[in-house]
Amino acid sequence: MKRNLMYAALFVAALMVSCNGKNTAQSEANTDSTSVTDTTAAENLDLATVAGTYEGTLPAADCPGIKTMLTINADSTYQLQQDYIDRKDGHDEASGVLEVLDNSVLMLVRPSSGEHTFYKVMDNSSVIMTDSLGNEPEGETAKLYVLTKK
């Protein structure tokens, strides 16, 4: 039980920082792209089978949620769009490269800040937000961190 509370607290803290610090203007979002670089950590995961657009609403600490659309490309690039529900100027976009860790964890690298976001491939139709070690949230709230392929 304590472990579940710890994971929940970590995810809420991460999302709180995300809600408070990611309200960027569209012009700033345009500077958040990069060219494709060599990523050698692709290991055994075939990005062609994972490639696609995943959508869902992630929980947030200070707003009703974050509508998230993540597009994963087979060339190890990504596009991320997030809209903070009921927040004026609550739109954030990023694009960059991703690396595959431990054959199932996608590490999205935000070029402008070096910030990393992690998603674990559950199957060919869903990914789940994780911590930096690939640990999935547990308990009843775990399903709130899943993005589904459209």
Side-chain angles (χ1 to χ4, degrees):
M1 182 66 175
K2 287 183 181 181
R3 187 174 185 192
N4 287 345
L5 290 174
M6 181 182 72
Y7 282 122
L10 284 172
F11 278 98
V12 168
L15 288 171
M16 184 181 315
V17 169
S18 178
C19 269
N20 288 329
K22 298 294 181 220
N23 296 333
T24 58
Q26 180 66 28
S27 61
E28 184 179 330
N30 290 337
T31 65
D32 208 33
S33 63
T34 188
S35 61
V36 178
T37 60
D38 181 31
T39 56
T40 57
E43 294 182 16
N44 295 325
L45 182 67
D46 181 11
L47 283 178
T49 61
V50 178
T53 300
Y54 297 80
E55 296 179 356
T57 302
L58 300 174
D62 64 349
C63 57
I66 307 167
K67 284 188 174 186
T68 302
M69 185 169 61
L70 171 63
T71 301
I72 299 169
N73 301 307
D75 66 354
S76 297
T77 61
Y78 75 90
Q79 290 84 38
L80 179 66
Q81 295 180 0
Q82 295 181 306
D83 289 303
Y84 298 82
I85 300 171
D86 294 340
R87 299 275 308 269
K88 188 176 182 178
D89 301 324
H91 180 77
D92 183 42
E93 290 187 21
S95 61
V97 295
L98 63 89
E99 293 182 33
V100 179
L101 309 175
D102 295 330
N103 197 34
S104 64
V105 177
L106 305 175
M107 179 175 71
L108 310 181
V109 181
R110 187 178 284 253
S112 64
S113 65
E115 176 185 345
H116 299 116
T117 306
F118 300 88
Y119 288 91
K120 185 173 187 177
V121 177
M122 298 175 65
D123 52 43
N124 288 342
S125 63
S126 59
V127 296
I128 186 167
M129 187 177 203
T130 67
D131 65 12
S132 62
L133 300 174
N135 296 318
E136 299 176 26
E138 296 178 346
E140 294 178 22
T141 61
K143 63 185 175 194
L144 301 176
Y145 295 92
V146 174
L147 301 179
T148 306
K149 195 174 198 177
K150 298 298 173 188

